[in-house]
């Protein structure tokens, strides 16, 4: 049996956590906070009207912005409460409730591969340990030729960066770029955040 995700554990401990999370980001947007750093980087990586997967999309903050910029966006998240919020707040994209380790988007009528897949918001660190390689492998399976995956997460979340790099290798991917922030600061041995751009080996 696959390990339970940290997000699922949070919901079991606090059934209102998902609703709180949605409202937190709605309030931040209403207050004028810049919530689009991840989307800016992804948008710069691809041409107009690219096919983008927001993996672990939450309430659609990243994918919704990319849809506003003219991309064809699909978002997938395990939490139906977050998907419901994404549908309500960002109607310009396609939002699907599903497990990233096993979702087959072809069963939802989505058969084209993706130019870029983004997993922001500490998605990888929320996964159950036994599902990390399957998630990376499944993302790789949904890429177009020359497509790339962008992953960002912080340290101190029981997922060491070296372990992540080992999982990337196990999934048949390679790390093309290592950064310490979404605004392109270089990655160093003491960095407490990682943004990794991956491609097929």
């Amino acid at each position: 049996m696959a390990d339970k995700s940290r997000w699922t554990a949070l919901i079991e401990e606090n059934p209102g956590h998902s609703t709180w999370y949605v409202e937190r980001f709605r309030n931040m947007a209403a207050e004028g906070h810049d919530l689009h750093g991840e989307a800016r980087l992804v948008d710069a990586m691809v041409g107009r009207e690219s096919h983008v997967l927001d993996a672990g999309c939450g309430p659609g903050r990243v994918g919704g912005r990319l849809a506003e910029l003219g991309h064809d966006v699909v978002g997938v998240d395990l939490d139906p409460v977050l998907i419901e919020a994404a549908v309500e707040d960002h109607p310009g994209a396609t939002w699907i409730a599903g497990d990233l380790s096993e979702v087959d988007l072809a069963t939802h009528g989505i058969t084209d591969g993706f130019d870029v897949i983004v997993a922001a918001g500490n998605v990888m660190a929320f996964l159950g340990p036994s599902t990390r390689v399957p998630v990376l492998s499944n993302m790789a399976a949904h890429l177009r030729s020359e497509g790339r995956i962008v992953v960002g997460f912080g340290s101190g979340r029981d997922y060491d960066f070296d372990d992540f790099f080992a999982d990337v290798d196990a999934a048949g991917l390679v790390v093309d770029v290592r950064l310490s922030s979404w605004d392109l600061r270089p990655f160093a041995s003491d960095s407490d955040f990682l943004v990794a751009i991956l491609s097929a080996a």
Side-chain angles (χ1 to χ4, degrees):
M1 178 179 292
D3 296 325
K4 182 187 303 182
S5 75
R6 292 180 62 198
W7 189 265
T8 299
L10 280 172
I11 295 169
E12 290 177 353
E13 293 171 7
N14 176 12
H17 180 76
S18 298
T19 300
W20 168 83
Y21 187 81
V22 169
E23 293 306 318
R24 174 191 177 206
F25 279 100
R26 283 175 173 166
N27 291 336
M28 290 173 69
E31 292 166 1
H33 291 272
D34 179 9
L35 303 178
H36 302 312
E38 300 99 325
R40 278 194 295 273
L41 174 58
V42 173
D43 181 56
M45 292 174 57
V46 291
R48 296 300 90 197
E49 301 180 356
S50 289
H51 201 202
V52 179
L53 174 62
D54 187 354
C57 61
R61 177 177 59 87
V62 178
R65 176 58 178 164
L66 289 166
E68 289 175 0
L69 293 170
H71 300 293
D72 177 15
V73 176
V74 176
V76 176
D77 199 282
L78 184 67
D79 189 333
V81 174
L82 302 187
I83 290 293
E84 182 179 347
V87 170
E88 181 178 346
D89 294 350
H90 306 285
T94 299
W95 306 107
I96 296 169
D99 186 329
L100 290 174
S101 67
E102 58 188 20
V103 66
D104 180 0
L105 294 177
T107 64
H108 297 272
I110 300 165
T111 56
D112 289 339
F114 293 92
D115 297 297
V116 66
I117 298 173
V118 56
N122 292 301
V123 167
M124 290 301 301
F126 274 109
L127 298 174
S130 67
T131 69
R132 292 166 180 164
V133 172
V135 166
L136 288 166
S137 298
N138 200 24
M139 286 195 286
H142 283 87
L143 281 179
R144 285 179 174 166
S145 176
E146 306 298 322
R148 291 175 290 177
I149 300 169
V150 189
V151 172
F153 68 98
S155 63
R157 295 176 177 271
D158 298 322
Y159 193 14
D160 290 341
F161 296 147
D162 285 343
D163 292 337
F164 169 73
F165 295 136
D167 288 343
V168 167
D169 184 65
L173 294 162
V174 295
V175 181
D176 293 333
V177 179
R178 304 180 192 206
L179 302 166
S180 69
S181 68
W182 292 97
D183 61 353
L184 308 182
R185 299 181 189 278
F187 184 78
S189 59
D190 61 348
S191 294
D192 61 6
F193 197 85
L194 170 69
V195 176
I197 301 177
L198 316 175
S199 62

PDB file of all heavy atoms in Angstrom, residues 4-22 24 79 81-82 126:
ATOM      1  N   LYS A   4       0.558   7.295   2.830  1.00  0.00           N
ATOM      2  CA  LYS A   4      -0.389   8.407   2.844  1.00  0.00           C
ATOM      3  C   LYS A   4       0.361   9.721   2.650  1.00  0.00           C
ATOM      4  O   LYS A   4       1.438   9.930   3.213  1.00  0.00           O
ATOM      5  CB  LYS A   4      -1.126   8.408   4.185  1.00  0.00           C
ATOM      6  CG  LYS A   4      -2.188   9.474   4.338  1.00  0.00           C
ATOM      7  CD  LYS A   4      -2.735   9.496   5.750  1.00  0.00           C
ATOM      8  CE  LYS A   4      -3.299   8.152   6.152  1.00  0.00           C
ATOM      9  NZ  LYS A   4      -3.873   8.194   7.523  1.00  0.00           N
ATOM     10  N   SER A   5      -0.201  10.616   1.862  1.00  0.00           N
ATOM     11  CA  SER A   5       0.443  11.913   1.670  1.00  0.00           C
ATOM     12  C   SER A   5       0.315  12.760   2.929  1.00  0.00           C
ATOM     13  O   SER A   5      -0.614  12.585   3.737  1.00  0.00           O
ATOM     14  CB  SER A   5      -0.170  12.657   0.486  1.00  0.00           C
ATOM     15  OG  SER A   5      -1.443  13.184   0.823  1.00  0.00           O
ATOM     16  N   ARG A   6       1.246  13.683   3.094  1.00  0.00           N
ATOM     17  CA  ARG A   6       1.187  14.601   4.232  1.00  0.00           C
ATOM     18  C   ARG A   6      -0.063  15.470   4.148  1.00  0.00           C
ATOM     19  O   ARG A   6      -0.619  15.867   5.166  1.00  0.00           O
ATOM     20  CB  ARG A   6       2.442  15.476   4.266  1.00  0.00           C
ATOM     21  CG  ARG A   6       3.712  14.710   4.584  1.00  0.00           C
ATOM     22  CD  ARG A   6       4.921  15.631   4.605  1.00  0.00           C
ATOM     23  NE  ARG A   6       4.809  16.650   5.624  1.00  0.00           N
ATOM     24  CZ  ARG A   6       5.529  17.772   5.648  1.00  0.00           C
ATOM     25  NH1 ARG A   6       6.409  18.003   4.698  1.00  0.00           N
ATOM     26  NH2 ARG A   6       5.392  18.647   6.613  1.00  0.00           N
ATOM     27  N   TRP A   7      -0.495  15.793   2.933  1.00  0.00           N
ATOM     28  CA  TRP A   7      -1.703  16.607   2.779  1.00  0.00           C
ATOM     29  C   TRP A   7      -2.935  15.840   3.288  1.00  0.00           C
ATOM     30  O   TRP A   7      -3.765  16.410   4.016  1.00  0.00           O
ATOM     31  CB  TRP A   7      -1.899  17.020   1.321  1.00  0.00           C
ATOM     32  CG  TRP A   7      -3.001  18.020   1.155  1.00  0.00           C
ATOM     33  CD1 TRP A   7      -4.308  17.772   0.836  1.00  0.00           C
ATOM     34  CD2 TRP A   7      -2.910  19.428   1.358  1.00  0.00           C
ATOM     35  NE1 TRP A   7      -5.024  18.941   0.810  1.00  0.00           N
ATOM     36  CE2 TRP A   7      -4.187  19.975   1.129  1.00  0.00           C
ATOM     37  CE3 TRP A   7      -1.857  20.289   1.699  1.00  0.00           C
ATOM     38  CZ2 TRP A   7      -4.447  21.340   1.225  1.00  0.00           C
ATOM     39  CZ3 TRP A   7      -2.118  21.644   1.796  1.00  0.00           C
ATOM     40  CH2 TRP A   7      -3.397  22.156   1.566  1.00  0.00           C
ATOM     41  N   THR A   8      -3.033  14.564   2.930  1.00  0.00           N
ATOM     42  CA  THR A   8      -4.153  13.756   3.413  1.00  0.00           C
ATOM     43  C   THR A   8      -4.137  13.663   4.929  1.00  0.00           C
ATOM     44  O   THR A   8      -5.190  13.756   5.577  1.00  0.00           O
ATOM     45  CB  THR A   8      -4.088  12.342   2.801  1.00  0.00           C
ATOM     46  OG1 THR A   8      -4.184  12.448   1.374  1.00  0.00           O
ATOM     47  CG2 THR A   8      -5.217  11.466   3.315  1.00  0.00           C
ATOM     48  N   ALA A   9      -2.952  13.524   5.500  1.00  0.00           N
ATOM     49  CA  ALA A   9      -2.847  13.467   6.963  1.00  0.00           C
ATOM     50  C   ALA A   9      -3.308  14.776   7.598  1.00  0.00           C
ATOM     51  O   ALA A   9      -3.997  14.772   8.629  1.00  0.00           O
ATOM     52  CB  ALA A   9      -1.410  13.157   7.368  1.00  0.00           C
ATOM     53  N   LEU A  10      -2.963  15.898   6.982  1.00  0.00           N
ATOM     54  CA  LEU A  10      -3.402  17.196   7.498  1.00  0.00           C
ATOM     55  C   LEU A  10      -4.920  17.311   7.497  1.00  0.00           C
ATOM     56  O   LEU A  10      -5.524  17.810   8.453  1.00  0.00           O
ATOM     57  CB  LEU A  10      -2.800  18.327   6.659  1.00  0.00           C
ATOM     58  CG  LEU A  10      -1.356  18.729   6.933  1.00  0.00           C
ATOM     59  CD1 LEU A  10      -0.887  19.719   5.869  1.00  0.00           C
ATOM     60  CD2 LEU A  10      -1.217  19.341   8.319  1.00  0.00           C
ATOM     61  N   ILE A  11      -5.546  16.841   6.426  1.00  0.00           N
ATOM     62  CA  ILE A  11      -6.996  16.924   6.324  1.00  0.00           C
ATOM     63  C   ILE A  11      -7.667  16.026   7.359  1.00  0.00           C
ATOM     64  O   ILE A  11      -8.692  16.381   7.947  1.00  0.00           O
ATOM     65  CB  ILE A  11      -7.453  16.548   4.902  1.00  0.00           C
ATOM     66  CG1 ILE A  11      -6.932  17.563   3.887  1.00  0.00           C
ATOM     67  CG2 ILE A  11      -8.972  16.461   4.817  1.00  0.00           C
ATOM     68  CD1 ILE A  11      -7.112  17.138   2.456  1.00  0.00           C
ATOM     69  N   GLU A  12      -7.080  14.860   7.576  1.00  0.00           N
ATOM     70  CA  GLU A  12      -7.649  13.953   8.581  1.00  0.00           C
ATOM     71  C   GLU A  12      -7.556  14.550   9.974  1.00  0.00           C
ATOM     72  O   GLU A  12      -8.458  14.371  10.793  1.00  0.00           O
ATOM     73  CB  GLU A  12      -6.941  12.603   8.509  1.00  0.00           C
ATOM     74  CG  GLU A  12      -7.272  11.823   7.245  1.00  0.00           C
ATOM     75  CD  GLU A  12      -6.515  10.519   7.145  1.00  0.00           C
ATOM     76  OE1 GLU A  12      -5.627  10.281   7.998  1.00  0.00           O
ATOM     77  OE2 GLU A  12      -6.805   9.736   6.223  1.00  0.00           O
ATOM     78  N   GLU A  13      -6.462  15.268  10.234  1.00  0.00           N
ATOM     79  CA  GLU A  13      -6.301  15.905  11.542  1.00  0.00           C
ATOM     80  C   GLU A  13      -7.186  17.136  11.677  1.00  0.00           C
ATOM     81  O   GLU A  13      -7.675  17.446  12.772  1.00  0.00           O
ATOM     82  CB  GLU A  13      -4.836  16.312  11.740  1.00  0.00           C
ATOM     83  CG  GLU A  13      -3.875  15.148  11.858  1.00  0.00           C
ATOM     84  CD  GLU A  13      -2.430  15.596  11.825  1.00  0.00           C
ATOM     85  OE1 GLU A  13      -2.188  16.827  11.843  1.00  0.00           O
ATOM     86  OE2 GLU A  13      -1.541  14.729  11.771  1.00  0.00           O
ATOM     87  N   ASN A  14      -7.391  17.843  10.561  1.00  0.00           N
ATOM     88  CA  ASN A  14      -8.170  19.082  10.572  1.00  0.00           C
ATOM     89  C   ASN A  14      -9.010  19.152   9.309  1.00  0.00           C
ATOM     90  O   ASN A  14      -8.540  19.626   8.274  1.00  0.00           O
ATOM     91  CB  ASN A  14      -7.234  20.291  10.664  1.00  0.00           C
ATOM     92  CG  ASN A  14      -7.986  21.609  10.587  1.00  0.00           C
ATOM     93  OD1 ASN A  14      -9.216  21.644  10.685  1.00  0.00           O
ATOM     94  ND2 ASN A  14      -7.255  22.697  10.401  1.00  0.00           N
ATOM     95  N   PRO A  15     -10.247  18.678   9.349  1.00  0.00           N
ATOM     96  CA  PRO A  15     -11.079  18.627   8.145  1.00  0.00           C
ATOM     97  C   PRO A  15     -11.304  19.993   7.492  1.00  0.00           C
ATOM     98  O   PRO A  15     -11.644  20.047   6.311  1.00  0.00           O
ATOM     99  CB  PRO A  15     -12.405  18.047   8.671  1.00  0.00           C
ATOM    100  CG  PRO A  15     -12.018  17.253   9.874  1.00  0.00           C
ATOM    101  CD  PRO A  15     -10.895  18.026  10.504  1.00  0.00           C
ATOM    102  N   GLY A  16     -11.084  21.075   8.217  1.00  0.00           N
ATOM    103  CA  GLY A  16     -11.267  22.403   7.645  1.00  0.00           C
ATOM    104  C   GLY A  16     -10.012  22.970   7.002  1.00  0.00           C
ATOM    105  O   GLY A  16     -10.028  24.110   6.509  1.00  0.00           O
ATOM    106  N   HIS A  17      -8.946  22.184   6.963  1.00  0.00           N
ATOM    107  CA  HIS A  17      -7.668  22.712   6.475  1.00  0.00           C
ATOM    108  C   HIS A  17      -7.747  23.162   5.015  1.00  0.00           C
ATOM    109  O   HIS A  17      -7.221  24.224   4.658  1.00  0.00           O
ATOM    110  CB  HIS A  17      -6.576  21.660   6.627  1.00  0.00           C
ATOM    111  CG  HIS A  17      -5.230  22.123   6.142  1.00  0.00           C
ATOM    112  ND1 HIS A  17      -4.444  23.001   6.864  1.00  0.00           N
ATOM    113  CD2 HIS A  17      -4.549  21.860   4.997  1.00  0.00           C
ATOM    114  CE1 HIS A  17      -3.332  23.252   6.186  1.00  0.00           C
ATOM    115  NE2 HIS A  17      -3.369  22.564   5.057  1.00  0.00           N
ATOM    116  N   SER A  18      -8.408  22.391   4.175  1.00  0.00           N
ATOM    117  CA  SER A  18      -8.466  22.739   2.757  1.00  0.00           C
ATOM    118  C   SER A  18      -9.196  24.056   2.539  1.00  0.00           C
ATOM    119  O   SER A  18      -8.759  24.910   1.748  1.00  0.00           O
ATOM    120  CB  SER A  18      -9.151  21.623   1.956  1.00  0.00           C
ATOM    121  OG  SER A  18      -8.418  20.426   2.052  1.00  0.00           O
ATOM    122  N   THR A  19     -10.302  24.237   3.240  1.00  0.00           N
ATOM    123  CA  THR A  19     -11.062  25.490   3.119  1.00  0.00           C
ATOM    124  C   THR A  19     -10.232  26.665   3.609  1.00  0.00           C
ATOM    125  O   THR A  19     -10.218  27.741   2.986  1.00  0.00           O
ATOM    126  CB  THR A  19     -12.377  25.385   3.911  1.00  0.00           C
ATOM    127  OG1 THR A  19     -13.149  24.290   3.383  1.00  0.00           O
ATOM    128  CG2 THR A  19     -13.171  26.672   3.808  1.00  0.00           C
ATOM    129  N   TRP A  20      -9.515  26.481   4.707  1.00  0.00           N
ATOM    130  CA  TRP A  20      -8.629  27.537   5.202  1.00  0.00           C
ATOM    131  C   TRP A  20      -7.577  27.889   4.164  1.00  0.00           C
ATOM    132  O   TRP A  20      -7.281  29.063   3.929  1.00  0.00           O
ATOM    133  CB  TRP A  20      -7.936  27.074   6.491  1.00  0.00           C
ATOM    134  CG  TRP A  20      -6.806  27.972   6.901  1.00  0.00           C
ATOM    135  CD1 TRP A  20      -6.900  29.134   7.609  1.00  0.00           C
ATOM    136  CD2 TRP A  20      -5.412  27.796   6.577  1.00  0.00           C
ATOM    137  NE1 TRP A  20      -5.636  29.697   7.755  1.00  0.00           N
ATOM    138  CE2 TRP A  20      -4.717  28.899   7.132  1.00  0.00           C
ATOM    139  CE3 TRP A  20      -4.701  26.831   5.884  1.00  0.00           C
ATOM    140  CZ2 TRP A  20      -3.332  29.043   7.005  1.00  0.00           C
ATOM    141  CZ3 TRP A  20      -3.328  26.966   5.761  1.00  0.00           C
ATOM    142  CH2 TRP A  20      -2.660  28.067   6.320  1.00  0.00           C
ATOM    143  N   TYR A  21      -7.006  26.883   3.525  1.00  0.00           N
ATOM    144  CA  TYR A  21      -5.958  27.094   2.533  1.00  0.00           C
ATOM    145  C   TYR A  21      -6.491  27.899   1.349  1.00  0.00           C
ATOM    146  O   TYR A  21      -5.836  28.830   0.864  1.00  0.00           O
ATOM    147  CB  TYR A  21      -5.436  25.728   2.074  1.00  0.00           C
ATOM    148  CG  TYR A  21      -4.239  25.785   1.165  1.00  0.00           C
ATOM    149  CD1 TYR A  21      -2.958  25.956   1.675  1.00  0.00           C
ATOM    150  CD2 TYR A  21      -4.374  25.637  -0.215  1.00  0.00           C
ATOM    151  CE1 TYR A  21      -1.851  25.985   0.839  1.00  0.00           C
ATOM    152  CE2 TYR A  21      -3.277  25.667  -1.060  1.00  0.00           C
ATOM    153  CZ  TYR A  21      -2.021  25.847  -0.533  1.00  0.00           C
ATOM    154  OH  TYR A  21      -0.928  25.881  -1.358  1.00  0.00           O
ATOM    155  N   VAL A  22      -7.677  27.538   0.883  1.00  0.00           N
ATOM    156  CA  VAL A  22      -8.289  28.267  -0.229  1.00  0.00           C
ATOM    157  C   VAL A  22      -8.486  29.731   0.131  1.00  0.00           C
ATOM    158  O   VAL A  22      -8.124  30.648  -0.626  1.00  0.00           O
ATOM    159  CB  VAL A  22      -9.643  27.622  -0.612  1.00  0.00           C
ATOM    160  CG1 VAL A  22     -10.418  28.523  -1.569  1.00  0.00           C
ATOM    161  CG2 VAL A  22      -9.422  26.248  -1.237  1.00  0.00           C
ATOM    162  N   ARG A  24      -7.060  31.495   2.435  1.00  0.00           N
ATOM    163  CA  ARG A  24      -5.782  32.180   2.655  1.00  0.00           C
ATOM    164  C   ARG A  24      -5.280  32.814   1.360  1.00  0.00           C
ATOM    165  O   ARG A  24      -4.903  33.988   1.337  1.00  0.00           O
ATOM    166  CB  ARG A  24      -4.759  31.184   3.191  1.00  0.00           C
ATOM    167  CG  ARG A  24      -3.360  31.744   3.321  1.00  0.00           C
ATOM    168  CD  ARG A  24      -2.349  30.642   3.609  1.00  0.00           C
ATOM    169  NE  ARG A  24      -0.990  31.168   3.653  1.00  0.00           N
ATOM    170  CZ  ARG A  24       0.088  30.438   3.398  1.00  0.00           C
ATOM    171  NH1 ARG A  24      -0.029  29.166   3.087  1.00  0.00           N
ATOM    172  NH2 ARG A  24       1.279  30.977   3.453  1.00  0.00           N
ATOM    173  N   ASP A  79      -7.039  16.720  -3.803  1.00  0.00           N
ATOM    174  CA  ASP A  79      -8.037  17.274  -2.881  1.00  0.00           C
ATOM    175  C   ASP A  79      -9.213  17.878  -3.664  1.00  0.00           C
ATOM    176  O   ASP A  79      -9.068  18.904  -4.326  1.00  0.00           O
ATOM    177  CB  ASP A  79      -7.369  18.349  -2.021  1.00  0.00           C
ATOM    178  CG  ASP A  79      -8.254  18.833  -0.884  1.00  0.00           C
ATOM    179  OD1 ASP A  79      -9.485  18.769  -1.011  1.00  0.00           O
ATOM    180  OD2 ASP A  79      -7.700  19.302   0.132  1.00  0.00           O
ATOM    181  N   VAL A  81     -11.725  19.554  -2.632  1.00  0.00           N
ATOM    182  CA  VAL A  81     -12.071  20.905  -2.175  1.00  0.00           C
ATOM    183  C   VAL A  81     -11.233  21.938  -2.918  1.00  0.00           C
ATOM    184  O   VAL A  81     -11.741  22.987  -3.350  1.00  0.00           O
ATOM    185  CB  VAL A  81     -11.860  21.029  -0.647  1.00  0.00           C
ATOM    186  CG1 VAL A  81     -12.066  22.470  -0.191  1.00  0.00           C
ATOM    187  CG2 VAL A  81     -12.812  20.100   0.093  1.00  0.00           C
ATOM    188  N   LEU A  82      -9.952  21.652  -3.103  1.00  0.00           N
ATOM    189  CA  LEU A  82      -9.084  22.575  -3.827  1.00  0.00           C
ATOM    190  C   LEU A  82      -9.467  22.635  -5.304  1.00  0.00           C
ATOM    191  O   LEU A  82      -9.428  23.702  -5.919  1.00  0.00           O
ATOM    192  CB  LEU A  82      -7.625  22.155  -3.662  1.00  0.00           C
ATOM    193  CG  LEU A  82      -7.091  22.067  -2.227  1.00  0.00           C
ATOM    194  CD1 LEU A  82      -5.580  21.814  -2.241  1.00  0.00           C
ATOM    195  CD2 LEU A  82      -7.413  23.319  -1.426  1.00  0.00           C
ATOM    196  N   PHE A 126       5.018  17.034  -0.035  1.00  0.00           N
ATOM    197  CA  PHE A 126       3.779  16.560   0.577  1.00  0.00           C
ATOM    198  C   PHE A 126       3.469  15.109   0.213  1.00  0.00           C
ATOM    199  O   PHE A 126       2.608  14.482   0.829  1.00  0.00           O
ATOM    200  CB  PHE A 126       2.596  17.450   0.165  1.00  0.00           C
ATOM    201  CG  PHE A 126       2.407  18.657   1.032  1.00  0.00           C
ATOM    202  CD1 PHE A 126       2.696  19.922   0.559  1.00  0.00           C
ATOM    203  CD2 PHE A 126       1.941  18.536   2.329  1.00  0.00           C
ATOM    204  CE1 PHE A 126       2.532  21.044   1.348  1.00  0.00           C
ATOM    205  CE2 PHE A 126       1.761  19.649   3.142  1.00  0.00           C
ATOM    206  CZ  PHE A 126       2.066  20.913   2.643  1.00  0.00           C
TER     207      PHE A 126
END
